[in-house]
Amino acid sequence: MTHSIKILRETPSTVTIGRSDFEALLRAAEDADDLAALAAHDAEEARLGKEAARRNYLTVDEVEGLLAGETALKIWRKKRGFTQRALAASAGVQPGYLSEIEAGKKPGSADALRRLSAALRVPMEDLIKGARKA
């Protein structure tokens, strides 16, 4: 569907359009973002294989845990079958420090999060996105 946008006013630094044109542009941008995310998802599944890729998906219960305030670090630790002590040893961080990060009492240093994400085999961004504020 092609939408012709009517420019109401234009200056060297601004362009004014109507509300419906603005909303159509927002929808088109959101659609483009969704299509790009879907293509990236499909490419990752093709690269890893569906079964391997799907081991990295969160279950409904895990997502509900995130929504309830559980940290992504704790959810991924449990998903990967680590105890706190075992993950701390694998990542080379102190168990008490890991506990404080999981509890949302400390944000975790970039180095600690990098080590934890490597041990959990998840992108560091996945641990940060799920961080809750203390």
Side-chain angles (χ1 to χ4, degrees):
M1 173 176 146
T2 305
H3 183 85
S4 179
I5 295 174
K6 181 180 176 189
I7 296 174
L8 302 177
R9 184 166 184 257
E10 188 173 355
T11 71
S13 61
T14 65
V15 175
T16 304
I17 60 175
R19 169 67 62 188
S20 64
D21 287 336
F22 174 71
E23 289 171 356
L25 284 172
L26 284 179
R27 283 191 303 276
E30 289 170 356
D31 289 348
D33 284 347
D34 291 345
L35 290 172
L38 184 58
H41 166 82
D42 290 345
E44 184 70 0
E45 271 196 2
R47 185 180 72 79
L48 295 174
K50 280 191 179 188
E51 287 304 312
R54 291 181 179 182
R55 284 193 292 270
N56 292 323
Y57 298 165
L58 294 177
T59 66
V60 170
D61 289 341
E62 291 161 342
V63 171
E64 286 175 350
L66 280 175
L67 294 173
E70 210 171 344
T71 62
L73 176 59
K74 184 175 184 177
I75 288 169
W76 281 108
R77 175 182 59 77
K78 289 178 178 179
K79 183 174 195 72
R80 296 294 195 234
F82 282 101
T83 62
Q84 277 188 342
R85 190 165 295 285
L87 177 57
S90 179
V93 300
Q94 293 296 315
Y97 187 47
L98 171 59
S99 178
E100 289 178 314
I101 297 169
E102 275 195 10
K105 293 178 181 175
K106 291 193 176 175
S109 68
D111 183 56
L113 291 172
R114 180 186 52 75
R115 290 168 179 241
L116 291 163
S117 70
L120 292 168
R121 300 176 323 278
V122 298
M124 191 164 101
E125 296 80 26
D126 288 359
L127 300 182
I128 295 168
K129 287 179 195 171
R132 84 171 179 224
K133 293 184 172 118

